[in-house]
Amino acid sequence: MKNSETIWDLVDAKKAIFEALSDRVWGMPEIAYTEYRSVAEHTVTLKQQGFRVTENVAGIPTAVMGEAGEGGPVIAILGEYDALPGLSQEAGVAEPRPLPGDGHGHGCGHNLLGSAAMLAATAIKDWLAETGTPGRVRYYGCPAEEGGAAKSFMAREGAFNNVDIAITWHPASFTEVARAHSLANTRMDFKFTGRASHASAAPHLGRSALDAVELMNVGVNYMREHMPSDARIHYAMLDSGGIAPNVVQAAAAVRYAIRARDLAGMLALNERVKKIAEGAALMTETKVAISIMSAVSNLLPNRPLEEAMQRNIERLGPIPFDDADRAFAAKIQATLSENDINNDYARVGVVRKPDTPLCDFIVPLDVRGEPMVGSTDVGDVSWVMPTVQAHAATHAIGTPGHSWQITSQGKMAAAHKGLVYVAKAMAATAVDLINDETLMARAKKDHQDRIGKTPYVCPIPTDVRPPLQPRRDAA
Ligand SMILES: [Zn+2]
């Protein structure tokens, strides 16, 4: 496959730039909507590579888009660079050792995610120029994947309009085409207001907001028996009304995450939870204010794109890890439980292989694993246009998501190999789409068939703004 080889050479030609970008972003971990330094690194690199750059995408100062090429179809490659709180960790050591500082760390590997996506976009840009092929490629630097739903806001504001296909990936412990299993998810806050009074001298005058929160939680817990078994509801106390038991709590608040298999199921469940909140307010003679903080849709699969991506992964073969990569991965595995490793295999549906700390094989397309029950804002993109997502092995098999072990492995040679590998898989899939009108048409038809009866409606109400964070003074 001549085209594949050309595009892979173009990836190899620039890999050092993007391995270095990934390492720099690893070293400046910034959490949701505070990614000012990380987006600056991505913006400078886009400009150096000759992209036409749009900053402040969808009014979000830590989002950026770079476009290259003329005419033809538009292929979007999606990247991320947000970190997580509490996952600071020294690189390359197999024991928990947080670095000094604010405690943030790249415990989901998004330093790799953004860099590999931009490497793929750069190679596609160079291929379009070298071959004189009409077509455009866009790199989207998307902030706040962790709990910020930035892509959902970007989709709502039209940032992905006129894009034909979206391609992305996520760092993982196995190399495979990602199965489109994710749950639609809403985060909703319930703020109850009552009336304070002396809890002993005048209890009859008080109306307890804390009682309302407790009754709401009890009501929702009773509802669990009567909701779809694959839905998920969890809550956290935002405000329990203070620390004085002798004051009737006049204010209390609870945050809910409500997840369901699809958008329609989630919207129905949201209404039931709201009714329970209103019931709790009625019982306690308090008032409740309900606000949606963020929401994401479930992922839609796209069979033609998944097959195209799988073909490229199989042409590339497994990631070429060496003994040094395996030795460090084995040390990381020694910090994990047997359950961690067994669960990881069960998730992808592959029988456990002995003495295999790193994935040196490719997961077949149609094995049946246990579906992922998390949520991602890539879901909303997949409702707007045909979308495909790869997983490339960048860390030891069994490494839990959101862990110090991921932070520790994020700058290793193995992670860099996964970064370069997946850039090749994504770039070659984009080239196939640009070259093959039938493939493009089949991907669009598959998408249309899935959304036909239920067109995309952004689950975030129009008056809800992303929780943007101010720029801190540069140190
Ligand atoms: Zn992630």
Side-chain angles (χ1 to χ4, degrees):
M1 282 288 159
K2 190 166 178 303
N3 279 325
S4 299
E5 283 159 16
T6 307
I7 191 77
W8 295 342
D9 289 345
L10 290 168
V11 169
D12 279 328
K14 291 193 172 163
K15 66 182 184 183
I17 298 169
F18 292 90
E19 290 169 352
L21 172 66
S22 173
D23 288 357
R24 286 200 301 282
V25 170
W26 186 97
M28 53 179 75
E30 298 170 303
I31 60 170
Y33 294 115
T34 69
E35 312 92 336
Y36 287 97
R37 293 174 67 200
S38 304
V39 76
E41 290 284 347
H42 276 238
T43 304
V44 165
T45 310
L46 281 169
K47 287 178 180 167
Q48 282 168 350
Q49 293 300 322
F51 284 89
R52 303 183 288 271
V53 173
T54 305
E55 296 179 60
N56 212 29
V57 175
I60 301 173
T62 55
V64 67
M65 193 273 282
E67 188 187 77
E70 301 295 338
V74 180
I75 310 284
I77 314 286
L78 311 182
E80 298 166 11
Y81 29 70
D82 57 321
L84 285 156
L87 291 175
S88 169
Q89 166 66 28
E90 191 175 319
V93 293
E95 62 178 34
R97 205 184 289 168
L99 294 168
D102 55 16
H104 303 336
H106 270 287
C108 200
H110 294 184
N111 56 306
L112 299 162
L113 205 173
S115 297
M118 206 200 300
L119 173 54
T122 302
I124 299 161
K125 170 183 73 67
D126 294 346
W127 179 86
L128 289 168
E130 205 167 276
T131 58
T133 308
R136 278 168 288 165
V137 60
R138 290 181 183 175
Y139 169 75
Y140 283 89
C142 307
E145 191 277 329
E146 301 292 352
K151 293 185 203 71
S152 310
F153 287 107
M154 290 163 75
R156 191 187 71 183
E157 300 306 312
F160 302 112
N161 289 359
N162 310 317
V163 175
D164 290 287
I165 303 282
I167 301 174
T168 187
W169 79 290
H170 201 286
S173 40
F174 293 97
T175 301
E176 59 173 349
V177 176
R179 258 72 54 89
H181 289 299
S182 82
L183 301 179
N185 184 4
T186 305
R187 280 189 177 203
M188 216 184 287
D189 285 1
F190 298 85
K191 289 186 179 160
F192 291 89
T193 312
R195 193 161 62 232
S197 78
H198 193 295
S200 183
H204 58 293
L205 298 179
R207 295 293 180 268
S208 171
L210 179 59
D211 287 358
V213 166
E214 292 191 272
L215 287 165
M216 176 183 173
N217 295 344
V218 169
V220 170
N221 288 334
Y222 269 94
M223 185 185 73
R224 286 180 201 281
E225 189 185 344
H226 310 288
M227 66 183 206
S229 57
D230 55 2
R232 298 280 187 276
I233 299 185
H234 11 269
Y235 54 81
M237 293 294 288
L238 297 180
D239 174 11
S240 54
I243 57 164
N246 59 346
V247 177
V248 173
Q249 290 83 359
V254 61
R255 171 168 295 169
Y256 268 74
I258 303 162
R259 308 192 205 224
R261 179 55 55 202
D262 58 23
L263 200 49
M266 179 187 74
L267 294 174
L269 208 50
N270 286 356
E271 291 311 307
R272 295 179 70 190
V273 174
K274 282 186 200 171
K275 277 185 195 163
I276 292 171
E278 283 155 9
L282 193 63
M283 282 190 278
T284 52
E285 296 185 319
T286 58
K287 288 196 164 53
V288 62
I290 302 172
S291 46
I292 291 177
M293 307 310 290
S294 71
V296 299
S297 302
N298 56 304
L299 272 171
L300 290 181
N302 190 288
R303 185 71 191 178
L305 290 182
E306 286 156 16
E307 288 171 353
M309 177 74 84
Q310 182 77 17
R311 276 196 299 277
N312 283 306
I313 289 177
E314 283 173 7
R315 267 182 215 144
L316 279 161
I319 301 177
F321 295 120
D322 62 21
D323 286 345
D325 301 328
R326 281 186 279 271
F328 183 68
K331 282 189 190 168
I332 290 286
Q333 279 195 329
T335 72
L336 309 174
S337 70
E338 283 295 292
N339 260 344
D340 287 325
I341 298 171
N342 289 336
N343 284 346
D344 220 3
Y345 276 101
R347 197 181 46 74
V348 293
V350 169
V351 177
R352 182 166 172 177
K353 297 177 197 293
D355 305 320
T356 307
L358 280 167
C359 177
D360 53 12
F361 53 92
I362 292 164
V363 179
L365 189 56
D366 286 320
V367 294
R368 282 177 189 273
E370 289 164 7
M372 160 192 176
V373 285
S375 306
T376 168
D377 63 2
V378 178
D380 286 79
V381 178
S382 77
W383 280 78
V384 177
M385 63 202 144
T387 301
V388 66
Q389 197 173 1
H391 284 162
T394 54
H395 48 248
I397 293 172
T399 306
H402 296 188
S403 61
W404 65 263
Q405 287 94 336
I406 289 189
T407 314
S408 170
Q409 295 172 86
K411 281 168 76 176
M412 302 300 287
H416 288 165
K417 286 174 190 171
L419 181 167
V420 174
Y421 178 93
V422 82
K424 289 180 181 175
M426 292 191 289
T429 304
V431 165
D432 287 350
L433 282 156
I434 293 167
N435 275 337
D436 183 352
E437 280 176 23
T438 8
L439 174 59
M440 179 73 88
R442 283 194 295 123
K444 288 188 172 181
K445 181 174 186 314
D446 183 289
H447 185 251
Q448 200 51 50
D449 289 348
R450 287 176 203 278
I451 64 161
K453 291 194 187 103
T454 48
Y456 175 66
V457 177
C458 181
I460 307 175
T462 45
D463 59 336
V464 176
R465 301 287 309 145
L468 302 180
Q469 301 297 314
R471 183 192 299 263
R472 283 178 305 170
D473 271 329

